[in-house]
Amino acid sequence: MQIATTPETALARLLRGNARYVAGENLNEHKDPSRRAELAGQQHPFAQVFGCSDSRVPAEVVFDQGLGDLFVIRNAGHIVDPSVLGSIEFGIEALDIPLTLVLGHTSCGAVGATIRAVDSHSTPSGYLRDVVERISPAVFEARRDPEVTYEDIVVENVRQTVTAIREKSACVNRAIGEGRTAIVGALYNLEAGTVTPVHTEGDVADS
């Protein structure tokens, strides 16, 4: 049974889990054989996390969640493409997930590769080019501020991912308008382990 049924309660549950993770007080729930058996025929994740593929940012660990708790989508730099949008729409329409959390992180390698490509006026070969081209707008937008930092660019990339999901998906935009779901962009700090919300699309009260 899905416990969190609103964007607010889902976000609060994620942030409580992150606080446990930071403090080293993990509950380690929902990881035993009985939970595995319970989920064999159905799933009711309370949130979906769209994050970077970076090995240092596994969503279930960062938020202290177990089997069946999160619907997770990951790629380098959390770039938005058709498969990502389809996965997010599936989470909202088929699984009734009330919250999508876009999780960026400090020292993001995909953002770093994009910065280097922009500064050297070069284009990577292969499919890495697609990653760089999708992140480049965040670099240019963030650099409108002459005092911009690496982390500022990472945060701008999170913001642009959040807004792109809503703008590109009529399904997501409709669900947000109806109050059935919301999107929150957040930044994970690799050193501290903390998750800090930085942008919201939809109604999410302070948790």
mmCIF file of all heavy atoms in Angstrom, residues 2 4-11 45-49 87-102 162 165-166 169-184 200-205:
data_model
loop_
_atom_site.group_PDB
_atom_site.id
_atom_site.type_symbol
_atom_site.label_atom_id
_atom_site.label_comp_id
_atom_site.label_asym_id
_atom_site.label_seq_id
_atom_site.Cartn_x
_atom_site.Cartn_y
_atom_site.Cartn_z
ATOM 1 N N GLN A 2 0.512 2.210 -0.881
ATOM 2 C CA GLN A 2 1.292 3.443 -0.969
ATOM 3 C C GLN A 2 1.008 4.320 0.244
ATOM 4 O O GLN A 2 -0.120 4.657 0.536
ATOM 5 C CB GLN A 2 0.924 4.188 -2.257
ATOM 6 C CG GLN A 2 1.765 5.424 -2.514
ATOM 7 C CD GLN A 2 1.526 5.971 -3.909
ATOM 8 O OE1 GLN A 2 1.407 5.229 -4.869
ATOM 9 N NE2 GLN A 2 1.448 7.274 -4.018
ATOM 10 N N ALA A 4 2.715 7.465 1.091
ATOM 11 C CA ALA A 4 2.723 8.888 0.772
ATOM 12 C C ALA A 4 1.837 9.142 -0.436
ATOM 13 O O ALA A 4 2.035 8.562 -1.493
ATOM 14 C CB ALA A 4 4.147 9.345 0.481
ATOM 15 N N THR A 5 0.818 9.971 -0.290
ATOM 16 C CA THR A 5 -0.140 10.177 -1.369
ATOM 17 C C THR A 5 -0.160 11.602 -1.894
ATOM 18 O O THR A 5 -0.949 11.918 -2.765
ATOM 19 C CB THR A 5 -1.563 9.811 -0.891
ATOM 20 O OG1 THR A 5 -1.882 10.591 0.272
ATOM 21 C CG2 THR A 5 -1.652 8.339 -0.546
ATOM 22 N N THR A 6 0.663 12.470 -1.371
ATOM 23 C CA THR A 6 0.729 13.843 -1.852
ATOM 24 C C THR A 6 2.188 14.221 -2.101
ATOM 25 O O THR A 6 3.103 13.603 -1.538
ATOM 26 C CB THR A 6 0.137 14.835 -0.830
ATOM 27 O OG1 THR A 6 1.008 14.898 0.313
ATOM 28 C CG2 THR A 6 -1.255 14.417 -0.386
ATOM 29 N N PRO A 7 2.421 15.241 -2.933
ATOM 30 C CA PRO A 7 3.801 15.686 -3.127
ATOM 31 C C PRO A 7 4.479 16.070 -1.816
ATOM 32 O O PRO A 7 5.665 15.787 -1.611
ATOM 33 C CB PRO A 7 3.640 16.898 -4.049
ATOM 34 C CG PRO A 7 2.381 16.634 -4.809
ATOM 35 C CD PRO A 7 1.480 15.957 -3.820
ATOM 36 N N GLU A 8 3.724 16.716 -0.911
ATOM 37 C CA GLU A 8 4.299 17.172 0.362
ATOM 38 C C GLU A 8 4.771 16.007 1.222
ATOM 39 O O GLU A 8 5.889 16.026 1.755
ATOM 40 C CB GLU A 8 3.271 17.995 1.144
ATOM 41 C CG GLU A 8 2.922 19.332 0.523
ATOM 42 C CD GLU A 8 1.827 19.228 -0.531
ATOM 43 O OE1 GLU A 8 1.355 18.106 -0.797
ATOM 44 O OE2 GLU A 8 1.448 20.266 -1.100
ATOM 45 N N THR A 9 3.916 14.990 1.363
ATOM 46 C CA THR A 9 4.296 13.872 2.226
ATOM 47 C C THR A 9 5.423 13.047 1.609
ATOM 48 O O THR A 9 6.278 12.511 2.319
ATOM 49 C CB THR A 9 3.089 12.973 2.524
ATOM 50 O OG1 THR A 9 2.480 12.556 1.290
ATOM 51 C CG2 THR A 9 2.060 13.705 3.369
ATOM 52 N N ALA A 10 5.426 12.963 0.282
ATOM 53 C CA ALA A 10 6.500 12.228 -0.384
ATOM 54 C C ALA A 10 7.839 12.937 -0.189
ATOM 55 O O ALA A 10 8.856 12.301 0.122
ATOM 56 C CB ALA A 10 6.188 12.077 -1.871
ATOM 57 N N LEU A 11 7.846 14.258 -0.373
ATOM 58 C CA LEU A 11 9.085 15.010 -0.185
ATOM 59 C C LEU A 11 9.558 14.925 1.262
ATOM 60 O O LEU A 11 10.758 14.748 1.528
ATOM 61 C CB LEU A 11 8.891 16.470 -0.585
ATOM 62 C CG LEU A 11 10.122 17.375 -0.431
ATOM 63 C CD1 LEU A 11 11.277 16.882 -1.283
ATOM 64 C CD2 LEU A 11 9.778 18.819 -0.789
ATOM 65 N N PRO A 45 5.629 2.567 -5.499
ATOM 66 C CA PRO A 45 6.645 3.525 -5.035
ATOM 67 C C PRO A 45 6.015 4.862 -4.664
ATOM 68 O O PRO A 45 5.072 5.311 -5.326
ATOM 69 C CB PRO A 45 7.573 3.659 -6.243
ATOM 70 C CG PRO A 45 6.736 3.262 -7.415
ATOM 71 C CD PRO A 45 5.816 2.209 -6.910
ATOM 72 N N PHE A 46 6.510 5.484 -3.602
ATOM 73 C CA PHE A 46 5.918 6.739 -3.146
ATOM 74 C C PHE A 46 6.516 7.958 -3.838
ATOM 75 O O PHE A 46 5.975 9.063 -3.755
ATOM 76 C CB PHE A 46 6.042 6.881 -1.625
ATOM 77 C CG PHE A 46 7.429 7.173 -1.127
ATOM 78 C CD1 PHE A 46 7.892 8.477 -1.014
ATOM 79 C CD2 PHE A 46 8.279 6.137 -0.752
ATOM 80 C CE1 PHE A 46 9.165 8.752 -0.548
ATOM 81 C CE2 PHE A 46 9.567 6.399 -0.285
ATOM 82 C CZ PHE A 46 10.009 7.718 -0.188
ATOM 83 N N ALA A 47 7.654 7.775 -4.534
ATOM 84 C CA ALA A 47 8.294 8.889 -5.248
ATOM 85 C C ALA A 47 9.139 8.310 -6.362
ATOM 86 O O ALA A 47 9.531 7.138 -6.326
ATOM 87 C CB ALA A 47 9.158 9.720 -4.306
ATOM 88 N N GLN A 48 9.413 9.147 -7.369
ATOM 89 C CA GLN A 48 10.383 8.745 -8.375
ATOM 90 C C GLN A 48 11.528 9.752 -8.371
ATOM 91 O O GLN A 48 11.328 10.950 -8.164
ATOM 92 C CB GLN A 48 9.756 8.612 -9.761
ATOM 93 C CG GLN A 48 9.056 9.805 -10.345
ATOM 94 C CD GLN A 48 8.385 9.456 -11.675
ATOM 95 O OE1 GLN A 48 8.593 8.377 -12.259
ATOM 96 N NE2 GLN A 48 7.566 10.347 -12.177
ATOM 97 N N VAL A 49 12.721 9.231 -8.551
ATOM 98 C CA VAL A 49 13.923 10.059 -8.538
ATOM 99 C C VAL A 49 14.592 9.954 -9.896
ATOM 100 O O VAL A 49 14.923 8.856 -10.359
ATOM 101 C CB VAL A 49 14.895 9.613 -7.432
ATOM 102 C CG1 VAL A 49 16.181 10.459 -7.489
ATOM 103 C CG2 VAL A 49 14.248 9.733 -6.061
ATOM 104 N N SER A 87 9.409 7.333 -19.131
ATOM 105 C CA SER A 87 9.524 6.688 -17.816
ATOM 106 C C SER A 87 8.830 7.518 -16.739
ATOM 107 O O SER A 87 8.137 6.975 -15.872
ATOM 108 C CB SER A 87 11.002 6.496 -17.455
ATOM 109 O OG SER A 87 11.642 5.632 -18.370
ATOM 110 N N ILE A 88 9.025 8.838 -16.795
ATOM 111 C CA ILE A 88 8.381 9.716 -15.812
ATOM 112 C C ILE A 88 6.871 9.684 -15.975
ATOM 113 O O ILE A 88 6.120 9.613 -14.985
ATOM 114 C CB ILE A 88 8.923 11.147 -15.939
ATOM 115 C CG1 ILE A 88 10.389 11.198 -15.478
ATOM 116 C CG2 ILE A 88 8.083 12.135 -15.121
ATOM 117 C CD1 ILE A 88 11.082 12.524 -15.742
ATOM 118 N N GLU A 89 6.394 9.715 -17.212
ATOM 119 C CA GLU A 89 4.951 9.640 -17.450
ATOM 120 C C GLU A 89 4.385 8.312 -16.952
ATOM 121 O O GLU A 89 3.286 8.271 -16.390
ATOM 122 C CB GLU A 89 4.659 9.825 -18.934
ATOM 123 C CG GLU A 89 4.900 11.246 -19.426
ATOM 124 C CD GLU A 89 4.560 11.423 -20.897
ATOM 125 O OE1 GLU A 89 4.204 10.406 -21.561
ATOM 126 O OE2 GLU A 89 4.639 12.571 -21.389
ATOM 127 N N PHE A 90 5.131 7.228 -17.142
ATOM 128 C CA PHE A 90 4.699 5.920 -16.640
ATOM 129 C C PHE A 90 4.561 5.966 -15.119
ATOM 130 O O PHE A 90 3.590 5.463 -14.555
ATOM 131 C CB PHE A 90 5.702 4.836 -17.039
ATOM 132 C CG PHE A 90 5.345 3.467 -16.522
ATOM 133 C CD1 PHE A 90 4.426 2.671 -17.186
ATOM 134 C CD2 PHE A 90 5.924 2.979 -15.357
ATOM 135 C CE1 PHE A 90 4.080 1.416 -16.708
ATOM 136 C CE2 PHE A 90 5.587 1.726 -14.863
ATOM 137 C CZ PHE A 90 4.660 0.938 -15.547
ATOM 138 N N GLY A 91 5.546 6.572 -14.464
ATOM 139 C CA GLY A 91 5.498 6.657 -13.007
ATOM 140 C C GLY A 91 4.274 7.418 -12.518
ATOM 141 O O GLY A 91 3.651 7.041 -11.520
ATOM 142 N N ILE A 92 3.922 8.472 -13.225
ATOM 143 C CA ILE A 92 2.784 9.299 -12.804
ATOM 144 C C ILE A 92 1.453 8.652 -13.161
ATOM 145 O O ILE A 92 0.548 8.573 -12.325
ATOM 146 C CB ILE A 92 2.892 10.700 -13.434
ATOM 147 C CG1 ILE A 92 4.103 11.446 -12.853
ATOM 148 C CG2 ILE A 92 1.609 11.508 -13.194
ATOM 149 C CD1 ILE A 92 4.416 12.745 -13.555
ATOM 150 N N GLU A 93 1.331 8.190 -14.405
ATOM 151 C CA GLU A 93 0.034 7.694 -14.878
ATOM 152 C C GLU A 93 -0.242 6.246 -14.481
ATOM 153 O O GLU A 93 -1.369 5.906 -14.119
ATOM 154 C CB GLU A 93 -0.045 7.846 -16.396
ATOM 155 C CG GLU A 93 -0.028 9.288 -16.860
ATOM 156 C CD GLU A 93 -1.186 10.095 -16.296
ATOM 157 O OE1 GLU A 93 -2.325 9.602 -16.309
ATOM 158 O OE2 GLU A 93 -0.947 11.222 -15.817
ATOM 159 N N ALA A 94 0.758 5.387 -14.558
ATOM 160 C CA ALA A 94 0.543 3.971 -14.253
ATOM 161 C C ALA A 94 0.720 3.644 -12.778
ATOM 162 O O ALA A 94 0.051 2.746 -12.251
ATOM 163 C CB ALA A 94 1.489 3.108 -15.088
ATOM 164 N N LEU A 95 1.615 4.383 -12.113
ATOM 165 C CA LEU A 95 1.915 4.069 -10.714
ATOM 166 C C LEU A 95 1.403 5.116 -9.726
ATOM 167 O O LEU A 95 1.580 4.969 -8.523
ATOM 168 C CB LEU A 95 3.433 3.901 -10.540
ATOM 169 C CG LEU A 95 4.089 2.794 -11.376
ATOM 170 C CD1 LEU A 95 5.597 2.797 -11.180
ATOM 171 C CD2 LEU A 95 3.496 1.439 -11.031
ATOM 172 N N ASP A 96 0.780 6.176 -10.244
ATOM 173 C CA ASP A 96 0.214 7.237 -9.382
ATOM 174 C C ASP A 96 1.241 7.848 -8.439
ATOM 175 O O ASP A 96 0.942 8.144 -7.272
ATOM 176 C CB ASP A 96 -0.971 6.699 -8.568
ATOM 177 C CG ASP A 96 -2.112 6.248 -9.454
ATOM 178 O OD1 ASP A 96 -2.404 6.953 -10.432
ATOM 179 O OD2 ASP A 96 -2.706 5.194 -9.160
ATOM 180 N N ILE A 97 2.452 8.045 -8.908
ATOM 181 C CA ILE A 97 3.510 8.614 -8.068
ATOM 182 C C ILE A 97 3.302 10.126 -7.944
ATOM 183 O O ILE A 97 3.218 10.823 -8.949
ATOM 184 C CB ILE A 97 4.900 8.313 -8.651
ATOM 185 C CG1 ILE A 97 5.146 6.792 -8.641
ATOM 186 C CG2 ILE A 97 5.984 9.034 -7.869
ATOM 187 C CD1 ILE A 97 6.442 6.377 -9.310
ATOM 188 N N PRO A 98 3.223 10.642 -6.714
ATOM 189 C CA PRO A 98 2.913 12.059 -6.518
ATOM 190 C C PRO A 98 4.094 13.017 -6.602
ATOM 191 O O PRO A 98 3.898 14.223 -6.592
ATOM 192 C CB PRO A 98 2.325 12.074 -5.107
ATOM 193 C CG PRO A 98 3.080 10.987 -4.397
ATOM 194 C CD PRO A 98 3.249 9.901 -5.427
ATOM 195 N N LEU A 99 5.316 12.487 -6.661
ATOM 196 C CA LEU A 99 6.477 13.384 -6.651
ATOM 197 C C LEU A 99 7.592 12.846 -7.539
ATOM 198 O O LEU A 99 7.952 11.676 -7.448
ATOM 199 C CB LEU A 99 7.019 13.549 -5.231
ATOM 200 C CG LEU A 99 8.270 14.431 -5.106
ATOM 201 C CD1 LEU A 99 7.912 15.903 -5.318
ATOM 202 C CD2 LEU A 99 8.951 14.238 -3.758
ATOM 203 N N THR A 100 8.129 13.738 -8.375
ATOM 204 C CA THR A 100 9.350 13.446 -9.122
ATOM 205 C C THR A 100 10.433 14.348 -8.565
ATOM 206 O O THR A 100 10.278 15.575 -8.552
ATOM 207 C CB THR A 100 9.171 13.729 -10.625
ATOM 208 O OG1 THR A 100 8.125 12.908 -11.143
ATOM 209 C CG2 THR A 100 10.470 13.446 -11.371
ATOM 210 N N LEU A 101 11.517 13.765 -8.087
ATOM 211 C CA LEU A 101 12.628 14.554 -7.579
ATOM 212 C C LEU A 101 13.807 14.430 -8.542
ATOM 213 O O LEU A 101 14.277 13.326 -8.822
ATOM 214 C CB LEU A 101 13.041 14.104 -6.181
ATOM 215 C CG LEU A 101 14.081 15.031 -5.524
ATOM 216 C CD1 LEU A 101 13.700 15.360 -4.094
ATOM 217 C CD2 LEU A 101 15.473 14.412 -5.569
ATOM 218 N N VAL A 102 14.233 15.563 -9.104
ATOM 219 C CA VAL A 102 15.400 15.599 -9.987
ATOM 220 C C VAL A 102 16.619 15.859 -9.113
ATOM 221 O O VAL A 102 16.700 16.888 -8.439
ATOM 222 C CB VAL A 102 15.263 16.702 -11.052
ATOM 223 C CG1 VAL A 102 16.543 16.812 -11.875
ATOM 224 C CG2 VAL A 102 14.072 16.409 -11.962
ATOM 225 N N VAL A 162 14.203 20.250 -14.562
ATOM 226 C CA VAL A 162 12.848 20.296 -13.986
ATOM 227 C C VAL A 162 11.869 20.992 -14.932
ATOM 228 O O VAL A 162 10.784 20.475 -15.227
ATOM 229 C CB VAL A 162 12.856 21.007 -12.617
ATOM 230 C CG1 VAL A 162 11.429 21.228 -12.118
ATOM 231 C CG2 VAL A 162 13.646 20.189 -11.593
ATOM 232 N N ILE A 165 11.093 18.977 -18.192
ATOM 233 C CA ILE A 165 10.151 17.872 -18.015
ATOM 234 C C ILE A 165 8.721 18.378 -18.119
ATOM 235 O O ILE A 165 7.880 17.809 -18.822
ATOM 236 C CB ILE A 165 10.384 17.171 -16.664
ATOM 237 C CG1 ILE A 165 11.722 16.443 -16.663
ATOM 238 C CG2 ILE A 165 9.248 16.184 -16.361
ATOM 239 C CD1 ILE A 165 12.149 15.944 -15.295
ATOM 240 N N ARG A 166 8.436 19.480 -17.436
ATOM 241 C CA ARG A 166 7.079 20.019 -17.475
ATOM 242 C C ARG A 166 6.729 20.581 -18.851
ATOM 243 O O ARG A 166 5.626 20.369 -19.354
ATOM 244 C CB ARG A 166 6.913 21.098 -16.406
ATOM 245 C CG ARG A 166 5.491 21.625 -16.337
ATOM 246 C CD ARG A 166 5.260 22.548 -15.170
ATOM 247 N NE ARG A 166 3.833 22.830 -15.025
ATOM 248 C CZ ARG A 166 3.305 23.557 -14.050
ATOM 249 N NH1 ARG A 166 4.092 24.071 -13.119
ATOM 250 N NH2 ARG A 166 1.997 23.763 -13.993
ATOM 251 N N SER A 169 6.395 17.554 -21.586
ATOM 252 C CA SER A 169 5.393 16.514 -21.381
ATOM 253 C C SER A 169 4.038 17.111 -21.021
ATOM 254 O O SER A 169 3.846 17.647 -19.932
ATOM 255 C CB SER A 169 5.833 15.557 -20.266
ATOM 256 O OG SER A 169 4.767 14.674 -19.927
ATOM 257 N N ALA A 170 3.082 16.999 -21.938
ATOM 258 C CA ALA A 170 1.726 17.469 -21.659
ATOM 259 C C ALA A 170 1.118 16.670 -20.514
ATOM 260 O O ALA A 170 0.348 17.195 -19.704
ATOM 261 C CB ALA A 170 0.864 17.343 -22.916
ATOM 262 N N CYS A 171 1.482 15.394 -20.429
ATOM 263 C CA CYS A 171 0.991 14.518 -19.361
ATOM 264 C C CYS A 171 1.444 15.027 -17.992
ATOM 265 O O CYS A 171 0.636 15.147 -17.068
ATOM 266 C CB CYS A 171 1.505 13.100 -19.599
ATOM 267 S SG CYS A 171 1.324 11.983 -18.198
ATOM 268 N N VAL A 172 2.710 15.341 -17.868
ATOM 269 C CA VAL A 172 3.245 15.831 -16.600
ATOM 270 C C VAL A 172 2.653 17.191 -16.258
ATOM 271 O O VAL A 172 2.235 17.441 -15.118
ATOM 272 C CB VAL A 172 4.785 15.914 -16.641
ATOM 273 C CG1 VAL A 172 5.322 16.583 -15.377
ATOM 274 C CG2 VAL A 172 5.386 14.528 -16.808
ATOM 275 N N ASN A 173 2.594 18.073 -17.238
ATOM 276 C CA ASN A 173 2.043 19.406 -17.005
ATOM 277 C C ASN A 173 0.597 19.328 -16.538
ATOM 278 O O ASN A 173 0.180 20.060 -15.630
ATOM 279 C CB ASN A 173 2.144 20.236 -18.286
ATOM 280 C CG ASN A 173 1.699 21.664 -18.078
ATOM 281 O OD1 ASN A 173 2.213 22.368 -17.219
ATOM 282 N ND2 ASN A 173 0.739 22.110 -18.872
ATOM 283 N N ARG A 174 -0.178 18.451 -17.144
ATOM 284 C CA ARG A 174 -1.575 18.287 -16.749
ATOM 285 C C ARG A 174 -1.684 17.763 -15.318
ATOM 286 O O ARG A 174 -2.493 18.252 -14.516
ATOM 287 C CB ARG A 174 -2.280 17.332 -17.713
ATOM 288 C CG ARG A 174 -3.770 17.125 -17.407
ATOM 289 C CD ARG A 174 -4.447 16.299 -18.485
ATOM 290 N NE ARG A 174 -3.837 14.984 -18.645
ATOM 291 C CZ ARG A 174 -3.095 14.620 -19.681
ATOM 292 N NH1 ARG A 174 -2.819 15.494 -20.647
ATOM 293 N NH2 ARG A 174 -2.585 13.396 -19.753
ATOM 294 N N ALA A 175 -0.854 16.771 -14.983
ATOM 295 C CA ALA A 175 -0.887 16.196 -13.634
ATOM 296 C C ALA A 175 -0.503 17.231 -12.584
ATOM 297 O O ALA A 175 -1.083 17.262 -11.491
ATOM 298 C CB ALA A 175 0.045 14.989 -13.555
ATOM 299 N N ILE A 176 0.459 18.089 -12.922
ATOM 300 C CA ILE A 176 0.843 19.155 -11.995
ATOM 301 C C ILE A 176 -0.309 20.137 -11.830
ATOM 302 O O ILE A 176 -0.634 20.558 -10.716
ATOM 303 C CB ILE A 176 2.107 19.881 -12.497
ATOM 304 C CG1 ILE A 176 3.328 18.962 -12.384
ATOM 305 C CG2 ILE A 176 2.358 21.164 -11.695
ATOM 306 C CD1 ILE A 176 4.594 19.541 -12.987
ATOM 307 N N GLY A 177 -0.937 20.513 -12.946
ATOM 308 C CA GLY A 177 -2.056 21.445 -12.889
ATOM 309 C C GLY A 177 -3.220 20.919 -12.074
ATOM 310 O O GLY A 177 -3.939 21.689 -11.425
ATOM 311 N N GLU A 178 -3.404 19.608 -12.094
ATOM 312 C CA GLU A 178 -4.486 18.979 -11.331
ATOM 313 C C GLU A 178 -4.096 18.715 -9.884
ATOM 314 O O GLU A 178 -4.914 18.226 -9.099
ATOM 315 C CB GLU A 178 -4.888 17.670 -12.009
ATOM 316 C CG GLU A 178 -5.514 17.871 -13.390
ATOM 317 C CD GLU A 178 -5.691 16.573 -14.145
ATOM 318 O OE1 GLU A 178 -5.207 15.522 -13.653
ATOM 319 O OE2 GLU A 178 -6.318 16.592 -15.225
ATOM 320 N N GLY A 179 -2.857 19.003 -9.531
ATOM 321 C CA GLY A 179 -2.400 18.787 -8.159
ATOM 322 C C GLY A 179 -2.091 17.349 -7.831
ATOM 323 O O GLY A 179 -1.905 16.993 -6.662
ATOM 324 N N ARG A 180 -2.011 16.476 -8.860
ATOM 325 C CA ARG A 180 -1.737 15.059 -8.625
ATOM 326 C C ARG A 180 -0.257 14.759 -8.441
ATOM 327 O O ARG A 180 0.115 13.699 -7.935
ATOM 328 C CB ARG A 180 -2.263 14.218 -9.793
ATOM 329 C CG ARG A 180 -3.767 14.201 -9.909
ATOM 330 C CD ARG A 180 -4.214 13.182 -10.934
ATOM 331 N NE ARG A 180 -3.925 13.584 -12.304
ATOM 332 C CZ ARG A 180 -3.098 12.928 -13.125
ATOM 333 N NH1 ARG A 180 -2.454 11.859 -12.693
ATOM 334 N NH2 ARG A 180 -2.910 13.344 -14.364
ATOM 335 N N THR A 181 0.589 15.673 -8.872
ATOM 336 C CA THR A 181 2.025 15.436 -8.775
ATOM 337 C C THR A 181 2.758 16.765 -8.763
ATOM 338 O O THR A 181 2.169 17.821 -9.010
ATOM 339 C CB THR A 181 2.519 14.567 -9.964
ATOM 340 O OG1 THR A 181 3.795 14.002 -9.653
ATOM 341 C CG2 THR A 181 2.625 15.374 -11.234
ATOM 342 N N ALA A 182 4.029 16.721 -8.466
ATOM 343 C CA ALA A 182 4.894 17.904 -8.491
ATOM 344 C C ALA A 182 6.300 17.435 -8.811
ATOM 345 O O ALA A 182 6.621 16.243 -8.698
ATOM 346 C CB ALA A 182 4.870 18.634 -7.156
ATOM 347 N N ILE A 183 7.128 18.381 -9.244
ATOM 348 C CA ILE A 183 8.535 18.083 -9.508
ATOM 349 C C ILE A 183 9.389 18.987 -8.627
ATOM 350 O O ILE A 183 9.162 20.198 -8.576
ATOM 351 C CB ILE A 183 8.916 18.337 -10.974
ATOM 352 C CG1 ILE A 183 7.912 17.698 -11.930
ATOM 353 C CG2 ILE A 183 10.319 17.790 -11.255
ATOM 354 C CD1 ILE A 183 8.178 18.026 -13.393
ATOM 355 N N VAL A 184 10.353 18.404 -7.957
ATOM 356 C CA VAL A 184 11.286 19.166 -7.128
ATOM 357 C C VAL A 184 12.697 18.886 -7.604
ATOM 358 O O VAL A 184 13.088 17.728 -7.768
ATOM 359 C CB VAL A 184 11.154 18.785 -5.637
ATOM 360 C CG1 VAL A 184 12.261 19.442 -4.815
ATOM 361 C CG2 VAL A 184 9.789 19.194 -5.101
ATOM 362 N N THR A 200 11.138 24.129 -7.690
ATOM 363 C CA THR A 200 9.894 23.355 -7.635
ATOM 364 C C THR A 200 8.951 23.743 -8.758
ATOM 365 O O THR A 200 8.798 24.919 -9.073
ATOM 366 C CB THR A 200 9.181 23.569 -6.288
ATOM 367 O OG1 THR A 200 10.042 23.132 -5.225
ATOM 368 C CG2 THR A 200 7.888 22.756 -6.222
ATOM 369 N N GLU A 201 8.316 22.730 -9.355
ATOM 370 C CA GLU A 201 7.225 22.937 -10.293
ATOM 371 C C GLU A 201 6.010 22.219 -9.709
ATOM 372 O O GLU A 201 6.018 21.004 -9.558
ATOM 373 C CB GLU A 201 7.557 22.364 -11.674
ATOM 374 C CG GLU A 201 8.659 23.104 -12.408
ATOM 375 C CD GLU A 201 8.206 24.439 -12.980
ATOM 376 O OE1 GLU A 201 6.996 24.583 -13.254
ATOM 377 O OE2 GLU A 201 9.054 25.328 -13.131
ATOM 378 N N GLY A 202 4.970 22.987 -9.359
ATOM 379 C CA GLY A 202 3.801 22.396 -8.720
ATOM 380 C C GLY A 202 3.713 22.842 -7.269
ATOM 381 O O GLY A 202 4.601 23.530 -6.762
ATOM 382 N N ASP A 203 2.663 22.427 -6.618
ATOM 383 C CA ASP A 203 2.415 22.837 -5.242
ATOM 384 C C ASP A 203 3.030 21.862 -4.247
ATOM 385 O O ASP A 203 2.561 20.729 -4.108
ATOM 386 C CB ASP A 203 0.914 22.957 -4.972
ATOM 387 C CG ASP A 203 0.266 24.052 -5.804
ATOM 388 O OD1 ASP A 203 0.937 25.078 -6.039
ATOM 389 O OD2 ASP A 203 -0.892 23.889 -6.220
ATOM 390 N N VAL A 204 4.074 22.299 -3.593
ATOM 391 C CA VAL A 204 4.707 21.512 -2.535
ATOM 392 C C VAL A 204 4.920 22.446 -1.354
ATOM 393 O O VAL A 204 5.766 23.336 -1.402
ATOM 394 C CB VAL A 204 6.064 20.923 -2.982
ATOM 395 C CG1 VAL A 204 6.663 20.101 -1.842
ATOM 396 C CG2 VAL A 204 5.886 20.070 -4.215
ATOM 397 N N ALA A 205 4.171 22.240 -0.287
ATOM 398 C CA ALA A 205 4.312 23.073 0.896
ATOM 399 C C ALA A 205 5.612 22.766 1.588
ATOM 400 O O ALA A 205 6.225 21.706 1.392
ATOM 401 C CB ALA A 205 3.137 22.846 1.844
#
